[in-house]
Amino acid sequence: MTAVEPSAAPGATARDGVALPWRGVDDGSGSLARPPLPLPPGRMPLLRARRPRKSWRYVGLYAQDVLLCAGRVSLGGAPQTFWAVWDRGSRTLRERTRFVPGGVEVGDRVRFGGRGVRADLALEPRGEAVEVVSPHGPSWIWTRKQGARVHGTLVLDGRRIAVDGPALIDDSAGFHARETRWSWSAGAGVDEAGRQVLWNLCDGVHDDPAAGECTVWVDGVAVEAGPVRFDGLDAVHGPGDEVLRFAAEAQRARHDRLVLLDSAYRQPFGAFTGTLPGGVVLARGAGVMERHDVRW
């Protein structure tokens, strides 16, 4: 496989003289040519067009017995960390969100703890990575999505759980508009042909029909999958009338009202059935749905 050269969508708009949106697929060879903008892992300015930089890394594990997420966020330099674990066997949900640095590691390892939970997991990126840069308000935003394998140990109320399952890594940054809203779904499973599948579907950010972030990975190969339409948090409809259905099992939900931040989200964990964009029929699947409305 070779890296896909950058391509701007037809009718793209310019940000800092660069035609956007842009989507590229990186096979890890280092040959992907990216837009000439300050992008991670390089240094990004704290402000651009009077908008503060937002950045985050989210790791979601979507195994059949345990679903979990962990993340580290920076909102104009202000920190936030979070984690959540849904043990499907014991029907136990534990979570924590803090507006202080530290407490959650989401690098080569995923580590967090508290409230009867301790996680120490290795994170191994696998398959092709998808990068997208989109115009947003007067500026631009960036994301990189990639599949991974997570394995290690999770301790829940003194009970040790061996973890080994598929995951999604979401690295995002940019100068988002003051009011931003999105619906999102991510998960993993097996299709009717026995292939390993992973998906990332979104409406509200990076959703240009010709260069968006919506992707379905089949055995690690990324296929563009947008645009999609969300039916609340119950289903996702693909461009070919595919329907991915969701049954919630447990839910994270918060509404934070701070001086410069008003963030309301719902993110249930659960099971998926139906068909992914591109006609990939699930034999089984698990993951999350999300609705996020934020002023930042």
Side-chain angles (χ1 to χ4, degrees):
M1 295 181 293
T2 58
V4 176
E5 287 304 307
S7 59
T13 59
R15 293 294 185 272
D16 290 2
V18 178
L20 298 176
W22 167 92
R23 173 185 168 106
V25 178
D26 187 359
D27 65 357
S29 66
S31 61
L32 179 65
R34 307 165 82 209
L37 293 167
L39 300 173
R43 185 177 180 85
M44 298 180 69
L46 187 61
L47 290 170
R48 178 65 62 98
R50 296 190 297 179
R51 299 300 307 137
R53 180 190 67 220
K54 296 95 176 177
S55 61
W56 62 87
R57 168 169 267 216
Y58 171 101
V59 175
L61 166 72
Y62 311 125
Q64 288 303 299
D65 52 351
V66 174
L67 306 177
L68 66 80
C69 65
R72 182 182 64 245
V73 183
S74 174
L75 303 175
Q80 181 189 44
T81 60
F82 62 86
W83 58 261
V85 176
W86 170 236
D87 180 4
R88 303 177 85 187
S90 67
R91 313 296 288 181
T92 300
L93 175 67
R94 298 289 172 79
E95 62 174 310
R96 171 173 283 179
T97 299
R98 303 177 70 193
F99 289 89
V100 295
V104 175
E105 180 181 338
V106 283
D108 294 335
R109 302 194 72 83
V110 177
R111 292 189 177 104
F112 58 82
R115 300 185 177 179
V117 176
R118 186 173 72 254
D120 186 359
L121 309 168
L123 179 65
E124 299 178 359
R126 294 187 180 181
E128 296 177 332
V130 173
E131 290 196 45
V132 178
V133 185
S134 302
H136 208 252
S139 195
W140 46 267
I141 55 177
W142 165 90
T143 192
R144 176 184 173 92
K145 303 294 199 297
Q146 185 172 21
R149 195 76 184 179
V150 169
H151 57 86
T153 302
L154 176 69
V155 179
L156 181 61
D157 293 333
R159 178 168 55 93
R160 297 175 66 87
I161 303 171
V163 173
D164 185 3
L168 179 75
I169 305 170
D170 172 0
D171 290 305
S172 295
F175 309 96
H176 300 69
R178 173 66 171 140
E179 295 188 2
T180 305
R181 299 177 177 86
W182 68 81
S183 297
W184 177 68
S185 176
V190 177
D191 74 356
E192 289 188 332
R195 300 175 298 180
Q196 300 295 315
V197 297
L198 178 75
W199 66 88
N200 173 84
L201 305 173
C202 190
D203 179 27
V205 292
H206 298 297
D207 57 1
D208 189 279
E213 71 168 66
C214 291
T215 303
V216 174
W217 289 263
V218 179
D219 287 339
V221 177
V223 180
E224 194 164 3
V228 299
R229 177 176 58 86
F230 282 74
D231 182 4
L233 296 178
D234 297 319
V236 186
H237 298 260
D241 294 327
E242 307 93 339
V243 182
L244 180 67
R245 299 180 181 86
F246 179 70
E249 299 171 353
Q251 178 174 268
R252 302 174 58 225
R254 287 182 64 90
H255 191 169
D256 294 305
R257 299 178 178 90
L258 304 176
V259 176
L260 297 176
L261 172 71
D262 190 315
S263 171
Y265 73 83
R266 295 170 57 205
Q267 188 187 84
F269 295 105
F272 288 87
T273 57
T275 305
L276 289 160
V280 178
V281 180
L282 284 178
R284 65 174 187 272
V288 296
M289 296 280 272
E290 180 181 275
R291 175 65 187 182
H292 199 155
D293 299 294
V294 59
R295 295 182 71 249
W296 51 6

